[in-house]
């Protein structure tokens, strides 16, 4: 955050008289035609502050009016769709969409997309309903990809129609929590309200605050556009309730970090509510293990969370689970043959390229990437009808993406036999494969028994193993 953005943030967050001074200083030292994008998010709040001080600014009034008009157009474009969904499924409004519907003015900030939440078990049905109303899922993902990979691995997905209306379907309030926990949090921290979208749920101020803190944390260390809503909510929450919920959800660290950012901007001018929240949440933040800390796991009884089991891709899910819990003995794997289920539904994958059918452990494809991430703890791909002249497995990786990944090496197995390892720094690997009888199942696995723990909101990131562009079998 540079000095220009600091002044914008101060004008949006400070008490009215201090906001007037900060805005005047910004106007005196900056060309408004070259303003940071942060002004688009802060302008409505600065307008509110300056109006309260009796010093309205015409330019900021324009931002407020633009937000109000644009946001209402956005809402009108999807209102009927959301009403139809809410009439069939229990629906909760989230983030800026939820805040604007529960009393906050639609002029305060842009609404980039309209976020709403349903129970995870209904997400595929709601997705199909959106598609039936000519909303296209992000990246054009198929219904199968959505249900089998996207729903278990993350908590939301975007849908747009031809007119540009954008809906963000959520099925977990916090992506690192399981579906049951998410549903319990919503049920215990929301109220049902009759609105222009039908009968929907509004989150309590405490839960809305924490959902925004989570979103803010996932935007990265330089982002500040959610701080304005967060600070506004801090003045309307039960401090003790926020601290307890932050500890239970596992985002006490992130709430503390957001408070620290606000204090850095506001200094001594911060409201007392900020200090009360910092004090209440501090013990829970200190007791939480730092995100990404490595721990040693036992060679047996290592658990794979239920949501990541992907039984649909396995021939014998229970046997696979037993094999995994026993420490993945190679002799058992070789005796069992391919764990991956052979099915017409498991077609050759576009990514990674190479003709294999994806089994368990693969990430959904990120839009615009030319690779697909393999995930911990075991990513499998099956090749059928392989000729006896095929002798090698070739693996191409994206070195730039891998250089930022949590892990820097992994092992490669073919039909239960270790054939080599890949280490960060190279883009292409080739390993000789053992004799086979027509089917070759390749498995990518971590090396050793070190695992990331207490990743919290970053769980998805710490499950990534390697970015694979191509995985194929070759004769030379």
């Amino acid at each position: 955050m540079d000095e220009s953005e600091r002044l914008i943030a101060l004008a949006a967050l400070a008490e009215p008289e201090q906001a007037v001074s900060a805005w005047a200083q910004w106007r005196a030292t900056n060309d408004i035609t070259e303003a940071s994008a942060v002004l688009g998010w802060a302008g409505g709040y600065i307008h509110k502050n300056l109006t309260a001080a009796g010093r309205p600014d015409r330019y900021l009034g324009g931002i407020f009016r633009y937000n109000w008009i644009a946001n209402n157009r956005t809402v009108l474009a999807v209102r009927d769709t959301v009403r139809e969904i809410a009439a069939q499924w229990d629906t909760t409004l989230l983030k800026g969409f939820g805040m604007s519907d529960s009393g906050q003015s639609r002029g305060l900030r842009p609404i980039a997309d309209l976020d709403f939440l349903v129970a995870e078990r209904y997400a595929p049905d709601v997705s199909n309903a959106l598609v039936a109303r000519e909303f296209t899922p992000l990246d054009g993902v198929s219904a199968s990809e959505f249900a089998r990979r996207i729903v278990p691995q993350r908590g939301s997905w975007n849908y747009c129609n031809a007119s540009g209306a954008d809906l963000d379907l959520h099925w977990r309030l916090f992506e690192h929590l399981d579906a049951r926990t998410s549903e319990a949090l919503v049920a215990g921290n929301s109220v049902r309200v009759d609105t222009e979208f039908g009968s929907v749920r509004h989150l309590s101020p405490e839960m809305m605050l924490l959902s925004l803190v989570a979103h803010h944390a996932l935007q990265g260390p330089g982002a500040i556009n959610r701080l304005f809503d967060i600070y506004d909510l801090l003045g309307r929450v039960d401090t003790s309730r926020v601290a307890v919920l932050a500890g239970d959800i596992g985002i006490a660290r992130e709430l503390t970090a957001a408070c620290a950012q606000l204090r850095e901007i506001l200094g001594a001018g911060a409201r007392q509510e900020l200090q009360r929240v910092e004090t209440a949440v501090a013990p829970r933040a200190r007791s939480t293990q730092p995100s990404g800390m490595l721990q040693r796991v036992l060679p047996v009884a290592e658990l794979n969370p239920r949501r990541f089991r992907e039984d649909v891709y396995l021939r014998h899910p229970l046997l696979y689970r037993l094999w995994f819990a026993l420490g993945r003995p190679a002799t058992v794997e070789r005796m069992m043959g391919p764990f991956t289920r052979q099915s017409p539904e498991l077609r050759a994958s576009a990514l990674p390229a190479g003709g294999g059918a994806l089994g368990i452990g693969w990430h959904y494809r990120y839009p615009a990437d030319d690779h697909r991430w393999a995930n911990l703890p075991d990513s499998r791909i099956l090749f059928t009808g392989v000729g006896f002249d095929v002798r090698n497995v070739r693996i191409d990786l994206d070195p730039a993406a891998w250089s930022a990944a949590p892990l820097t090496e992994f092992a490669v197995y073919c039909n239960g036999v270790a054939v080599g390892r890949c280490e960060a720094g190279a883009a292409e690997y080739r390993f000789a494969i053992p004799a086979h009888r027509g089917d070759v199942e390749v498995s990518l696995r971590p090396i050793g028994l070190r695992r990331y723990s207490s990743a919290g909101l970053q769980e998805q990131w710490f499950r990534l193993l390697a970015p694979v562009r191509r995985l194929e079998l070759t004769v030379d």
Side-chain angles (χ1 to χ4, degrees):
M1 179 170 55
D2 59 21
E3 179 61 15
S4 170
E5 290 183 339
R6 190 192 71 81
L7 288 171
I8 290 172
L10 185 61
L13 295 167
E15 296 302 309
E17 290 302 324
Q18 189 180 6
V20 169
S21 175
W23 180 246
Q25 186 177 349
W26 187 89
R27 289 297 300 262
T29 54
N30 291 274
D31 182 347
I32 206 163
T33 64
E34 298 179 0
S36 163
V38 171
L39 184 57
W41 289 90
Y45 277 104
I46 304 175
H47 168 74
K48 180 181 177 182
N49 272 341
L50 268 59
T51 301
R55 300 281 297 276
D57 180 280
R58 180 177 297 179
Y59 183 81
L60 295 172
I63 292 178
F64 184 91
R65 288 189 296 274
Y66 175 82
N67 285 342
W68 191 89
I69 293 169
N71 290 342
N72 276 291
R73 284 178 175 170
T74 299
V75 167
L76 286 173
V78 300
R79 185 174 61 186
D80 290 346
T81 299
V82 176
R83 284 182 67 91
E84 289 186 13
I85 289 169
Q88 298 180 67
W89 298 281
D90 194 10
T91 300
T92 304
L93 306 186
L94 303 178
K95 296 188 331 195
F97 185 25
M99 293 179 71
S100 68
D101 189 59
S102 60
Q104 280 202 329
S105 171
R106 289 176 182 165
L108 288 177
R109 106 276 306 137
I111 299 177
D113 53 22
L114 295 152
D115 299 78
F116 68 97
L117 178 141
V118 300
E120 181 180 301
R121 61 187 178 278
Y122 299 131
D125 293 332
V126 176
S127 176
N128 291 337
L130 289 173
V131 171
R133 288 191 63 88
E134 299 185 348
F135 279 82
T136 301
L138 179 65
D139 208 33
V141 297
S142 67
S144 175
E145 175 85 350
F146 178 80
R148 294 179 175 182
R149 297 198 192 277
I150 292 173
V151 170
Q153 292 185 32
R154 60 173 292 142
S156 66
W157 203 250
N158 276 85
Y159 295 73
C160 293
N161 66 12
S163 65
D166 191 345
L167 284 169
D168 196 354
L169 166 62
H170 292 246
W171 50 92
R172 274 194 298 277
L173 190 55
F174 299 92
E175 293 198 0
H176 66 294
L177 300 181
D178 60 45
R180 181 178 298 179
T181 303
S182 180
E183 289 178 35
L185 285 171
V186 173
N189 297 276
S190 66
V191 294
R192 186 171 291 282
V193 182
D194 290 327
T195 73
E196 64 180 303
F197 305 101
S199 179
V200 297
R201 289 185 181 273
H202 283 169
L203 294 175
S204 68
E206 294 79 16
M207 190 55 68
M208 179 66 81
L209 169 67
L210 294 177
S211 71
L212 292 176
V213 165
H215 184 68
H216 169 70
L218 292 173
Q219 285 184 308
I224 63 171
N225 57 339
R226 287 292 173 190
L227 287 178
F228 313 119
D229 287 339
I230 289 170
Y231 192 61
D232 184 61
L233 282 167
L234 278 172
R236 298 190 279 122
V237 299
D238 181 320
T239 301
S240 298
R241 180 67 177 159
V242 163
V244 170
L245 285 170
D248 291 345
I249 294 167
I251 60 170
R253 289 191 308 265
E254 288 76 11
L255 177 55
T256 299
C259 289
Q261 274 188 282
L262 289 166
R263 185 164 296 285
E264 181 183 359
I265 295 167
L266 292 161
R271 295 196 303 259
Q272 291 182 352
E273 292 90 343
L274 180 60
Q275 178 64 54
R276 287 199 291 267
V277 170
E278 287 179 304
T279 301
V281 79
R284 292 170 174 83
R286 286 194 297 268
S287 66
T288 305
Q289 195 175 24
S291 184
M293 181 175 287
L294 282 166
Q295 282 189 339
R296 183 170 293 280
V297 299
L298 296 174
V300 296
E302 182 182 353
L303 298 178
N304 194 22
R306 176 183 291 273
R307 62 188 273 204
F308 300 124
R309 287 178 182 172
E310 300 184 295
D311 287 353
V312 68
Y313 296 111
L314 294 167
R315 291 171 56 221
H316 305 293
L318 292 178
L319 289 176
Y320 175 85
R321 211 170 298 159
L322 178 61
W323 167 81
F324 188 88
L326 290 174
R328 288 164 281 188
T331 54
V332 174
E333 183 175 7
R334 290 194 291 269
M335 180 179 66
M336 286 293 300
F339 278 118
T340 301
R341 182 171 64 90
Q342 296 187 33
S343 168
E345 298 176 15
L346 301 183
R347 300 181 180 89
S349 169
L351 276 181
L358 297 185
I360 61 170
W362 291 93
H363 208 66
Y364 60 87
R365 179 182 175 182
Y366 283 118
D369 279 357
D370 64 351
H371 57 267
R372 186 190 293 263
W373 285 90
N375 281 339
L376 292 170
D378 182 16
S379 297
R380 291 176 177 265
I381 186 167
L382 178 65
F383 298 85
T384 58
V386 179
F388 291 110
D389 58 336
V390 172
R391 299 175 182 274
N392 300 291
V393 57
R394 170 186 168 183
I395 302 174
D396 292 356
L397 303 170
D398 184 319
W402 202 12
S403 67
L407 297 180
T408 58
E409 61 179 359
F410 62 90
V412 181
Y413 286 74
C414 289
N415 291 346
V417 177
V419 298
R421 66 168 59 191
C422 298
E423 299 176 348
E428 181 180 332
Y429 298 85
R430 193 181 301 264
F431 307 108
I433 63 176
H436 54 85
R437 298 181 179 178
D439 292 342
V440 176
E441 184 182 39
V442 180
S443 169
L444 311 182
R445 309 176 197 171
I447 295 172
L449 299 173
R450 303 287 276 180
R451 301 287 183 271
Y452 287 94
S453 63
S454 299
L457 289 175
Q458 303 296 334
E459 180 188 52
Q460 188 176 126
W461 174 244
F462 286 112
R463 285 185 60 81
L464 299 180
L465 180 63
V468 187
R469 287 173 170 166
R470 173 174 292 273
L471 200 163
E472 66 178 346
L473 304 182
T474 66
V475 297
D476 53 12

